[in-house]
Amino acid sequence: MIRRCTNCAKLLAPFTVTCSSCQSDILEWVPSSGEGSIVSWKVLHRASNGHCGKWELSIITIVELDDGPWVYTTIKGDAPPPSNQPVRVRFESEPTNDRFPVFTIHTANGRHADRRPSPEHRLASDPACTQSRTHMKTDTAYGSAWIRSSLNQCDFLEAAKSVDADARSVIEFAIRCAPFGGASADELLVAFGVTRWRFVKMIGEALRPRAGDSRTARALKCNLLDALTWGWRVYPDSSASHARV
């Protein structure tokens, strides 16, 4: 069960007491789909209940529910495997003494793959995005000149208040790693505490057009997103580009 604001209908995490959108404190309980994707996880060692001197592993995760809210959970079984794709999980309803709800990892050969449009796909439909991905794939050279040019574009977007400091740090990191096919899962866990899949979403969110953006800013964001999409190898080939939605 998760919370829903009766004023604006925003869905919220179970322990929320005030709506983050309208600040209303009138919330109701509604059922969740019980499915989502792992954003970040960490293995903890804790004393075993009833076994003096023994320790057991506990995998604490942040899960982005398909309904929208992020929740703290425990993963039942082994740690999530390294993956460039969303690691899908499902709520486990069996009784537990754990303080967090328990989820299990999906293993059914992609049957539960995330079919929601990712931020980069949603942005691709924006009218300002006129440069084809095929062109970006074949013609973009991710050398030092491209890095300098892209960082200069970041400077322009920040000066125009089209991106904030947090978005700038994500974009800049993505730019510097693009020539190498992006960063590894370990590097992203250390630098941002997230999975590679989640960081790719963060790039799209950082470059999402804002209501006050000028036409130039929107075009720069779209071009940067195209270049970073290919640089981070989100679309390894044109035939698979839409299969990864």
Side-chain angles (χ1 to χ4, degrees):
M1 301 293 287
I2 55 177
R3 310 303 297 271
R4 179 171 63 191
C5 176
T6 59
N7 183 50
C8 67
K10 182 178 178 65
L11 295 175
L12 305 158
F15 296 111
T16 303
V17 294
T18 303
C19 177
S20 57
S21 293
C22 69
Q23 308 307 311
S24 171
D25 60 358
I26 305 177
L27 310 178
E28 61 181 350
W29 289 100
V30 294
S32 165
S33 67
E35 297 192 356
S37 301
I38 291 178
V39 174
S40 182
W41 60 275
K42 183 176 183 179
V43 176
L44 302 178
H45 294 79
R46 63 183 182 183
S48 177
N49 292 331
H51 294 83
C52 183
K54 291 190 176 182
W55 296 82
E56 61 182 21
L57 295 180
S58 178
I59 305 170
I60 305 299
T61 65
I62 298 175
V63 169
E64 181 182 15
L65 295 174
D66 290 349
D67 310 279
W70 288 18
V71 294
Y72 283 98
T73 75
T74 298
I75 290 296
K76 178 181 178 181
D78 296 330
S83 175
N84 291 338
Q85 296 297 305
V87 177
R88 300 286 294 161
V89 292
R90 175 188 295 157
F91 174 66
E92 182 65 53
S93 59
E94 68 181 29
T96 176
N97 294 324
D98 203 290
R99 59 177 296 194
F100 297 126
V102 176
F103 279 66
T104 55
I105 296 176
H106 288 193
T107 58
N109 298 323
R111 183 179 61 189
H112 303 291
D114 193 346
R115 292 183 173 85
R116 292 170 298 154
S118 62
E120 58 270 19
H121 280 78
R122 291 196 296 268
L123 282 175
S125 62
D126 191 277
C129 296
T130 57
Q131 190 167 14
S132 72
R133 282 189 161 83
T134 301
H135 176 77
M136 290 297 301
K137 178 181 177 182
T138 56
D139 292 352
T140 300
Y142 296 94
S144 57
W146 176 82
I147 293 176
R148 287 195 300 271
S149 174
S150 297
L151 291 177
N152 287 336
Q153 292 175 45
C154 279
D155 291 337
F156 172 86
L157 293 172
E158 189 172 28
K161 300 187 183 304
S162 187
V163 299
D164 55 27
D166 290 338
R168 168 64 187 265
S169 66
V170 169
I171 299 167
E172 185 171 338
F173 184 91
I175 289 170
R176 295 188 185 280
C177 293
F180 310 101
S184 69
D186 289 341
E187 290 172 318
L188 290 170
L189 191 61
V190 171
F192 292 91
V194 298
T195 62
R196 181 180 168 96
W197 163 76
R198 178 58 199 166
F199 187 77
V200 169
K201 290 188 69 176
M202 288 169 62
I203 296 173
E205 291 164 1
L207 289 169
R208 180 181 292 118
R210 298 181 176 182
D213 284 353
S214 66
R215 191 173 186 83
T216 299
R218 292 172 69 87
L220 285 177
K221 282 183 172 181
C222 188
N223 290 340
L224 267 176
L225 182 60
D226 278 339
L228 292 174
T229 294
W230 289 116
W232 278 68
R233 299 175 184 171
V234 178
Y235 307 104
D237 57 64
S238 58
S239 64
S241 63
H242 295 290
R244 288 179 175 260
V245 175

